[in-house]
Amino acid sequence: MSRISFIGLGNMGLPMAINLAKAGHDVCGFDLSAEAKAGFSAHGRVGESVAACVVGAEFVITMLPAGRHVEAVLTDVLAAVGAARPLLIDSSTIDVETARKVAARAAEAGLEMLDAPVSGGVGGATAGSLTFMVGGPEAAFARGEPLLRVMGKTIVHTGPAGAGQAAKICNNMILGISMLAVSEAFVLADRLGLDRQKLFDVSSTSSGQCWSLTSYCPAPGPVPNSPANRGWQPGFAAALMSKDLTLAQAAAEASGAPTPLGAHAARLYAQMLEDGAGDRDFSYAYPWLGGKWRGDPA
Ligand code: NAD
């Protein structure tokens, strides 16, 4: 049994913290939102502040919206830990540069830190089947892995600090682009009078095959449990895909990597958000593209 401080009890953090508590760990949860704290109170201790939660913790896990929140919480954590040396694990999706910066700040204060963003969404967080992509020193990974195994199924140590976030944005750039490619193909098929199921039968077993098609088909019908069959309710919201593609573009610019398709995909998801589709699943790209270019209602 470990003493764990869990900061950020939102859509993802709450079920992750609950799984740690269910596994027998002593979890103290904190969130700025009273509603989020109330959601955790039946499962573990709730702290009055980051500082109150962190004192005595062996592990501090953060699941926050963006890099600036992680930096702010780290400041509070460093001020509160005293002589203790908890392992810090940030599972938020944030920019690579900030991930490296906070790990360096933690190291200066004598604390080990892992960037451990996840894939798998709220469903994976609830089921304890997330994929963790983990950046940080080998020894810190060995220390944190048993806890990550409680919350996830696939845990990959991807390299030094920042490598977890790098893996996350590279993967999601593939996903964002491939979803647009599949959506465009179905829009074209519709215009050509080609039955969606027939396109699926061909492409899912030939060279067009990819996860966006076979597991998450954006057109209603072929994959019964895909969001397309429940009005494109998320799943993985277009706003989150837009966030990840924006992070990928920031990393591409900083590193000089040419990512012209990633840049175009980022612009298209940003337009989806402007059109009010941010809270739809990102596979809403299919009806959105179909309507956008022909003026059809989505
Ligand atoms: P969320 O907005 O539901 O939760 C974030 C929580 O952090 C909120 O409850 C908020 O009140 C809290 N918070 C913000 N600042 C705080 C602070 N200073 N101290 C304490 N609490 C604070 O977001 P989410 O959907 O749970 O996502 C969390 C992270 O996981 C994000 O970085 C997101 O990109 C990433 N992610 C989300 C999904 C998903 O499907 N939702 C999937 C993979 C990764």
Side-chain angles (χ1 to χ4, degrees), residues 18 21 23-24 32 45 70-71 76 86 114 135 141 143 192 195 236 253:
I18 289 174
L32 293 178
R45 292 180 293 125
V70 176
E71 289 192 281
D76 291 350
L114 299 171
F141 176 73
R143 211 173 141 197
L192 296 174
D195 183 76
F236 187 57
E253 272 168 38

Side-chain angles (χ1 to χ4, degrees), residues 66-152:
R68 65 179 188 282
H69 307 99
V70 176
E71 289 192 281
V73 168
L74 178 66
T75 300
D76 291 350
V77 170
L78 294 181
V81 286
R85 292 288 170 264
L87 175 66
L88 312 183
I89 303 176
D90 178 40
S91 283
S92 326
T93 302
I94 68 170
D95 58 289
V96 176
E97 207 181 314
T98 301
R100 289 179 178 153
K101 202 163 82 184
V102 291
R105 269 181 69 199
E108 271 171 34
L111 269 67
E112 290 181 315
M113 181 161 190
L114 299 171
D115 52 293
V118 300
S119 149
V122 176
T126 306
S129 62
L130 292 167
T131 294
F132 282 88
M133 296 145 263
V134 190
E138 188 70 53
F141 176 73
R143 211 173 141 197
E145 193 186 5
L147 284 194
L148 301 181
R149 291 230 167 268
V150 174
M151 300 179 282

Side-chain angles (χ1 to χ4, degrees), residues 44-45 54 67 95 103 147 157-158 164 167 191 197 212-213 225 228 235 254 285:
R45 292 180 293 125
V54 158
D95 58 289
L147 284 194
H157 187 204
T158 50
R191 297 293 190 267
Q197 185 64 48
S212 291
L213 176 71
N225 62 356

